Amino acid sequence: MHKRRWKLIQYFRERELRRILTEEFVSQATHYNGLEIWCIENLRLVPVPKSSYGKFFSGSAYIILNTVLLKSSSPQHDIHYWLGNDVKEVDSILASDKALELDAALGSKAVQFREVQGLETEKFLSYFKPCIIPIEGIFSSGPAELNCEYQISLFTCKGDHVVHVKEVPFSRSSLNHNDVFVLDTASKIFLFSGCNSSIQERAKALEVVQYIKENKHNGKCDVATIEDGKFVGDPDVGEFWSLFGGYAPIPRDVPPSLQKQPDIPNAKLFWSMLQGSLIDRITTQGKLSQTVCNTMNKAMLESNKCYMLDCDNDIFVWMGRNTSITERKTSISAAEDFLKSQDRSMRSHLTFLTEGSETAIFRSYFDVWPQFAELRLYEEGRGKVAAMFKQQGFDVKELPEEDCDLFIDCSGTLKVWRVNDDELFLVPVADQTKLFSGDCYVVQYKYPGNGRDEYLFYAWLGRGAVLEDRVDAISRMNTIVDSMKGDSVLAQVIEEKEPAEFFLIFQTLIVFKGGLSTRYKRYITEKGIADDTYDEKKTALFRVQGTSPSNMQAIQVDQVSSSLNSSYCFILQTETSIFTWVGNLSSARDHDLLDRMLDLINATLQPISVREGSEPDVFWKALGGKAEYSREKEIKGYVEDPHLFTCSFTDDVKEIFNFTQDDLTTEDMLILDCYREIYVWCGFHSNVRSKKQALEIGLYPWMRSSGNRFLEIDILVEELSLETPIYVITEGHEPPFFTRFFEWDSSKANMHGNSFERKLAILKGTMQKIEVPSRNSWKAYSTENTPDGSRSRAVSSNGMQRSVSSVSNVSGSNLRSSDHQRISSVSPIARSLVSRSHPDHDSTGPLAVMPSSPSENAGLDQINGVEIDVNSLIFPYERLKVVADDPVTTGIDVTKREAYLSEEEFQKVFGMTKTAFYKLPKWRQDKLKRAVHLF
């Protein structure tokens, strides 16, 4: 009876706590994409106007909700509550409670962060780039009071990719040799760079200078840069020191690189134990009891308890799904009291996690954390999807599939070498689209870039290739690259893990079993393995795959029934006949590719067409008898937004949140993790050792002798395969399939100097003249760029539609190329690029781009090269949605539904203008459209 009464009291109290969150607060928090901010004013939550986002008062407490719309699941929420240094304790407690209640209103799936002024997490600061500068006083929702007297302020700036700005006393004693300082006066802003500060810190501080100039001076003030230790001949130096009462030496400090770093203790796990009777549990303060264990695994965490994980600089409070809000609040208070008792409140970050919302960094502290695969709901959702497409006039039996965007010009020139006994042999043109899984190849692809030829190299490593051939392929690829002028993009791919671009440059590819390499033959002989190298006289089974006639593959698989799959079409070749097998879940596009591939594999025999379920006995006999095989629809999982990491190999790998092109600093080496492929980006001014280690990280992932590597670390705990394709990219030679992840500006990518000099040139408006024109990062090469809807390309002598190199066979390291290469036929997009940017091109020639007359472009607004018709028909959002009850079915382009929204409704649906939307990369546009049912 006593226990039942306590449960009733607990239930009604929690219901009352949830009621405190107003309906408006909850509804706003669950429907927006991006940031929402509230401030506590007079013990109530007040929404902060968007115009004031990034302005924080040191006497107030704020709640910040960041919502990201994921492709694969429900929205992802991060909740931060920010506490100013002068905030009242009652406001601090209320902010903590409201953040927890907001999490409960969102389904207890958010990650909560406690942010203290001056100790903000990098993730929090990334929302408000370039910086936040807290303001003295408290937030007021009423009209702001104007202060006419300009106060001189001195700030210290720390950080390479996100900057922590802290106001310090305006005194000479505040200066030191290790940091970068910004002195803001009424007429001029000074940047003082300590002699021990890094180039990246100085460059980031210039962004702070730009921010202050625009927000406090309306863009009208002078900027001066002062370098520590240099005084001669610069009037700005004298003016700077006069503000401090004259020059005086700054005491010497120990450079940061030589300062002894404190030892980080091992992670400790505590569990929150509430003492007292069941009734007293609601109000009694929690106590921490340390859990003693040699290793940590998820099984230790019980769903009816709360735990604290102490990792020194990071503190995590894990709350089981069966705990009450009261228990969670008590545990959070216990964690905060724990930090206060150890005087760690100002150096440790607090993160709160509900069971099921654990972050990658939290999971990484556990030796065992099981991965749970998401359920595939294909069959359950098929009816809804079919109904949706039926409304759009599609045949329900053949649902359209999303085409693969082409982020590379496919009209280039291809060369393929095969590795054999420490030598490279150039593969004849007629055979270069035929690879063997027991061999390794070096692939060179030359394609037109922005006014110059770009080179892309692949080391393709067959699944059955021996280690010596793999190493040689990579070594020989580097030799070829070193012998060429300019920087090329390098990539290592392993069979069955090829990225989309690899298939696109081949356009048609056949992968046979077995190998021709001498080492491969020797290996299978020594091991007593049967030689299954492809022979036209032997039985062979091929899986046909691809997205279009210019991107199709035939992969030889084991000739057994279990290799079949209902999602694909197959070709079965025997000594006397050839069968085509059509899976029940394959599409009309698959059937077209099947017919095309059949002509390439065997064009002499008359094929016997077989549909799944009607196979003759002779078919099963050729496969060794009938057996079970996969009959479920294969669906590619969504790949979420990429993640960018710094990788210096002397410090820990660290993520850069909400990254932009500006985060690609020329002194760094960075890793862009796109899950399906990894990009290692080397800045022009990064040190040589880091570049070598970058190549090692990308090209030798299976060798473990050189310490930790990104794939092995798996920092996001996403089960990255060691066979993930890895690109190595040099600054200034970024390919389109890399730049599509950024809002790319080629003028920035081609600037000279270090990152500080570049930022200073931008700030002072003295950017160097860039020869390379801006290119659109998101624009895909499309089959819609020619009048007949097909891409323009050359046809080689073997009938393949592509431009190839007619180079004779060369053995060993003698890599001579013929002077009689076939001229590639450039696509219309490439012709347009050449006509605008090639210095030797005659603007009056046939490829010149002539300006359109005003009448031709009437009503068109061009954004990043995309023409948007501003005089389009306007339809309401409810009719433009894919799942609309009364959809618009005629007179619109269904791939650009958003363009038919009015400006007002567009702003309401997407939270931005059309101009801002179309400046986003295409992958981000598609993601936003998908979230609001316009894709």
Side-chain angles (χ1 to χ4, degrees):
M1 189 70 183
H2 185 71
K3 183 183 294 187
R4 183 180 301 174
R5 182 188 172 198
W6 174 81
K7 285 186 176 182
L8 286 172
I9 294 174
Q10 183 185 44
Y11 168 77
F12 285 112
R13 288 192 178 184
E14 289 191 5
R15 191 175 70 173
E16 180 65 17
L17 287 173
R18 287 191 176 93
R19 190 190 62 78
I20 297 176
L21 286 170
T22 66
E23 292 183 4
E24 179 183 2
F25 178 48
V26 175
S27 63
Q28 288 180 349
T30 55
H31 287 88
Y32 278 96
N33 176 44
L35 284 179
E36 297 168 79
I37 303 177
W38 298 266
C39 185
I40 293 179
E41 182 183 21
N42 299 325
L43 299 181
R44 62 186 183 91
L45 284 173
V46 176
V48 176
K50 289 187 181 294
S51 59
S52 297
Y53 281 14
K55 297 179 182 179
F56 293 88
F57 288 87
S58 60
S60 298
Y62 295 78
I63 293 178
I64 298 91
L65 171 64
N66 184 52
T67 302
V68 177
L69 299 178
L70 300 178
K71 300 176 185 177
S72 58
S73 59
S74 56
Q76 175 180 293
H77 302 288
D78 288 321
I79 301 172
H80 305 256
Y81 64 95
W82 186 89
L83 308 176
N85 288 338
D86 303 323
V87 67
K88 297 178 181 178
E89 185 175 359
V90 62
D91 288 345
S92 174
I93 295 173
L94 186 57
S96 175
D97 289 348
K98 291 299 181 184
L100 187 61
E101 293 167 11
L102 176 58
D103 175 38
L106 295 173
S108 296
K109 296 179 181 179
V111 179
Q112 302 172 59
F113 302 86
R114 175 177 175 265
E115 309 285 353
V116 178
Q117 181 180 339
L119 192 70
E120 295 89 353
T121 61
E122 294 194 357
K123 188 169 192 175
F124 177 81
L125 292 176
S126 72
Y127 303 147
F128 309 102
K129 289 182 178 181
C131 64
I132 62 170
I133 302 178
I135 306 168
E136 290 188 2
I138 60 173
F139 170 84
S140 174
S141 55
E145 296 182 5
L146 297 177
N147 186 0
C148 298
E149 183 179 356
Y150 199 91
Q151 299 291 328
I152 296 180
S153 305
L154 181 65
F155 304 95
T156 179
C157 304
K158 297 182 179 182
D160 291 347
H161 289 277
V162 293
V163 58
H164 287 82
V165 180
K166 180 182 179 182
E167 186 170 4
V168 294
F170 174 43
S171 168
R172 186 190 297 110
S173 60
S174 296
L175 302 176
N176 61 58
H177 297 292
N178 292 333
D179 297 324
V180 183
F181 295 84
V182 174
L183 179 63
D184 179 25
T185 70
S187 59
K188 185 179 287 189
I189 304 174
F190 296 87
L191 177 74
F192 177 84
S193 301
C195 58
N196 296 329
S197 61
S198 69
I199 294 295
Q200 296 96 313
E201 282 185 311
R202 300 178 187 188
K204 210 66 187 174
L206 278 175
E207 294 184 11
V208 178
V209 171
Q210 179 74 29
Y211 174 82
I212 294 175
K213 179 179 178 180
E214 293 177 353
N215 288 274
K216 297 183 68 176
H217 298 268
N218 294 320
K220 299 176 182 178
C221 73
D222 295 329
V223 174
T225 57
I226 312 297
E227 193 166 344
D228 187 9
K230 293 187 178 181
F231 315 104
V232 180
D234 190 345
D236 289 329
V237 173
E239 183 180 356
F240 174 78
W241 287 111
S242 67
L243 294 169
F244 292 93
Y247 171 75
I250 300 174
R252 288 192 172 276
D253 329 299
V254 178
S257 59
L258 301 179
Q259 292 178 3
K260 184 178 179 181
Q261 300 296 325
D263 294 331
I264 298 178
N266 294 328
K268 300 176 182 178
L269 183 66
F270 299 82
W271 67 283
S272 177
M273 180 175 64
L274 304 178
Q275 295 183 336
S277 65
L278 292 174
I279 291 290
D280 295 334
R281 239 183 192 184
I282 297 173
T283 57
T284 304
Q285 292 294 322
K287 292 187 177 181
L288 298 173
S289 174
Q290 184 171 349
T291 300
V292 180
C293 56
N294 295 324
T295 61
M296 292 194 298
N297 60 75
K298 186 181 183 299
M300 300 170 56
L301 305 178
E302 300 178 32
S303 297
N304 61 347
K305 289 187 173 69
C306 296
Y307 296 81
M308 186 184 80
L309 182 65
D310 182 4
C311 306
D312 191 51
N313 289 332
D314 291 295
I315 304 291
F316 299 91
V317 175
W318 184 91
M319 301 168 288
R321 67 167 61 94
N322 295 333
T323 56
S324 65
I325 288 184
T326 302
E327 288 174 310
R328 296 176 188 182
K329 288 185 177 181
T330 304
S331 298
I332 291 173
S333 297
E336 292 175 339
D337 292 341
F338 172 80
L339 289 183
K340 290 178 183 177
S341 66
Q342 297 200 354
D343 196 24
R344 292 166 54 188
S345 295
M346 295 306 297
R347 71 176 180 89
S348 296
H349 294 122
L350 261 176
T351 305
F352 311 110
L353 309 163
T354 308
E355 183 176 2
S357 65
E358 298 86 357
T359 60
I361 183 95
F362 176 81
R363 287 181 277 135
S364 68
Y365 286 107
F366 289 77
D367 300 286
V368 179
W369 193 280
Q371 297 285 339
F372 295 99
E374 293 187 8
L375 295 176
R376 295 187 179 274
L377 303 178
Y378 176 79
E379 293 299 329
E380 290 79 355
R382 187 178 181 117
K384 294 182 179 179
V385 175
M388 179 175 65
F389 281 103
K390 189 175 181 180
Q391 287 184 349
Q392 306 306 316
F394 291 105
D395 184 355
V396 178
K397 295 180 181 179
E398 302 289 355
L399 298 182
E401 298 182 38
E402 185 176 349
D403 289 329
C404 178
D405 288 334
L406 310 183
F407 292 99
I408 187 171
D409 190 317
C410 296
S411 64
T413 304
L414 188 69
K415 287 184 183 179
V416 180
W417 291 271
R418 181 171 57 82
V419 176
N420 190 42
D421 265 348
D422 197 29
E423 293 182 338
L424 286 183
F425 289 86
L426 189 63
V427 177
V429 171
D431 297 328
Q432 65 181 8
T433 57
K434 301 173 183 178
L435 308 182
F436 287 83
S437 62
D439 294 335
C440 293
Y441 297 83
V442 174
V443 178
Q444 173 193 297
Y445 183 65
K446 181 176 73 172
Y447 63 97
N450 289 327
R452 64 190 178 195
D453 286 335
E454 299 287 357
Y455 288 87
L456 172 60
F457 282 87
Y458 286 100
W460 186 86
L461 313 179
R463 178 67 61 184
V466 297
L467 180 61
E468 293 89 342
D469 282 351
R470 293 187 175 202
V471 174
D472 278 350
I474 294 166
S475 175
R476 292 294 177 178
M477 178 177 64
N478 285 319
T479 300
I480 298 174
V481 171
D482 291 341
S483 67
M484 300 174 60
K485 294 181 180 180
D487 293 307
S488 304
V489 176
L490 308 182
Q492 165 254 306
V493 298
I494 296 179
E495 182 186 358
E496 299 177 359
K497 294 290 184 178
E498 297 91 348
E501 293 75 28
F502 182 82
F503 289 139
L504 288 170
I505 65 173
F506 275 92
Q507 299 194 6
T508 300
L509 182 64
I510 304 174
V511 180
F512 296 109
K513 294 178 73 68
L516 307 177
S517 163
T518 303
R519 288 171 175 156
Y520 172 79
K521 297 292 188 183
R522 186 185 307 128
Y523 173 79
I524 61 174
T525 300
E526 292 174 353
K527 298 294 184 180
I529 302 173
D531 190 353
D532 60 353
T533 302
Y534 173 75
D535 187 338
E536 291 182 358
K537 297 179 181 180
K538 295 181 180 179
T539 299
L541 181 64
F542 295 90
R543 182 183 71 244
V544 178
Q545 62 187 37
T547 61
S548 69
S550 57
N551 177 22
M552 61 180 183
Q553 305 86 41
I555 312 298
Q556 187 178 358
V557 296
D558 294 336
Q559 53 265 21
V560 293
S561 301
S562 58
S563 297
L564 298 175
N565 188 306
S566 298
S567 297
Y568 294 96
C569 295
F570 288 79
I571 297 173
L572 175 61
Q573 175 184 289
T574 67
E575 294 184 26
T576 58
S577 58
I578 189 165
F579 296 89
T580 59
W581 186 86
V582 179
N584 287 337
L585 297 179
S586 60
S587 65
R589 182 174 64 185
D590 296 327
H591 306 161
D592 177 56
L593 300 184
L594 175 65
D595 295 335
R596 293 172 182 270
M597 269 299 178
L598 186 62
D599 293 337
L600 299 176
I601 292 177
N602 193 320
T604 58
L605 293 176
Q606 180 67 29
I608 302 172
S609 181
V610 176
R611 289 200 68 90
E612 182 180 3
S614 60
E615 302 86 352
D617 293 340
V618 66
F619 177 86
W620 295 119
K621 184 177 180 180
L623 294 177
K626 191 173 183 179
E628 287 299 318
Y629 56 86
S630 177
R631 300 173 187 271
E632 296 180 358
K633 179 69 175 179
E634 284 196 356
I635 302 177
K636 288 185 178 180
Y638 286 117
V639 177
E640 297 300 343
D641 293 355
H643 297 262
L644 186 66
F645 299 88
T646 59
C647 190
S648 65
F649 295 99
T650 56
D651 301 321
D652 293 335
V653 176
K654 185 168 62 175
E655 183 170 3
I656 301 173
F657 299 99
N658 297 301
F659 62 85
T660 65
Q661 183 184 355
D662 289 336
D663 289 307
L664 301 178
T665 47
T666 185
E667 293 81 15
D668 287 335
M669 182 175 65
L670 303 169
I671 294 179
L672 185 68
D673 177 7
C674 303
Y675 186 72
R676 289 179 182 167
E677 58 261 344
I678 302 294
Y679 298 90
V680 182
W681 182 89
C682 300
F684 185 77
H685 290 86
S686 58
N687 60 68
V688 175
R689 182 181 176 183
S690 290
K691 286 186 178 181
K692 288 182 178 179
Q693 288 178 319
L695 293 173
E696 185 181 46
I697 241 187
L699 304 178
Y700 297 94
W702 61 86
M703 297 183 180
R704 300 171 180 266
S705 58
S706 303
N708 291 331
R709 291 170 175 80
F710 185 80
L711 291 178
E712 294 173 338
I713 295 172
D714 192 12
I715 194 168
L716 294 178
V717 197
E718 55 185 343
E719 293 190 320
L720 273 178
S721 169
L722 292 181
E723 298 177 349
T724 301
I726 301 183
Y727 290 89
V728 178
I729 297 172
T730 305
E731 181 183 7
H733 292 266
E734 296 87 353
F737 51 85
F738 173 80
T739 61
R740 66 190 173 111
F741 296 109
F742 302 83
E743 296 177 35
W744 197 258
D745 182 353
S746 291
S747 63
K748 292 182 179 179
N750 292 277
M751 292 185 70
H752 301 295
N754 60 39
S755 56
F756 175 78
E757 293 167 339
R758 297 180 188 188
K759 289 285 175 65
L760 186 60
I762 295 174
L763 180 62
K764 293 191 173 183
T766 58
M767 291 178 61
Q768 304 97 321
K769 184 178 179 181
I770 306 301
E771 296 180 359
V772 180
S774 296
R775 70 170 178 256
N776 299 323
S777 61
W778 56 266
K779 189 171 181 61
Y781 293 92
S782 171
T783 57
E784 299 175 359
N785 292 319
T786 54
D788 60 354
S790 61
R791 283 178 293 155
S792 172
R793 63 173 67 84
V795 181
S796 65
S797 57
N798 64 350
M800 298 292 185
Q801 285 191 329
R802 74 159 300 99
S803 174
V804 293
S805 172
S806 56
V807 185
S808 58
N809 191 14
V810 180
S811 63
S813 58
N814 185 15
L815 305 175
R816 293 181 292 109
S817 60
S818 171
D819 294 330
H820 304 287
Q821 295 185 0
R822 185 180 299 276
I823 302 300
S824 61
S825 176
V826 186
S827 69
I829 287 184
R831 280 200 293 266
S832 178
L833 288 174
V834 171
S835 65
R836 291 197 303 267
S837 61
H838 199 287
D840 300 326
H841 180 69
D842 184 1
S843 61
T844 62
L847 296 183
V849 177
M850 303 302 293
S852 302
S853 64
S855 60
E856 291 174 349
N857 283 339
L860 292 177
D861 181 19
Q862 194 171 53
I863 302 171
N864 275 4
V866 180
E867 288 186 342
I868 306 301
D869 189 351
V870 297
N871 291 333
S872 297
L873 293 173
I874 301 299
F875 294 98
Y877 169 64
E878 293 300 328
R879 292 196 63 197
L880 288 170
K881 290 193 301 183
V882 175
V883 292
D885 294 330
D886 180 23
V888 182
T889 56
T890 58
I892 67 169
D893 183 348
V894 294
T895 65
K896 296 182 176 64
R897 295 174 182 273
E898 76 287 349
Y900 301 94
L901 291 170
S902 66
E903 287 290 348
E904 295 76 12
E905 197 161 20
F906 192 99
Q907 176 78 37
K908 181 179 179 181
V909 172
F910 290 99
M912 65 183 76
T913 62
K914 287 186 179 180
T915 301
F917 177 83
Y918 288 113
K919 286 182 179 180
L920 297 175
K922 187 174 184 299
W923 63 271
R924 189 168 290 177
Q925 293 179 29
D926 291 344
K927 178 181 177 180
L928 293 175
K929 291 196 293 184
R930 187 180 287 109
V932 294
H933 308 295
L934 290 175
F935 185 82

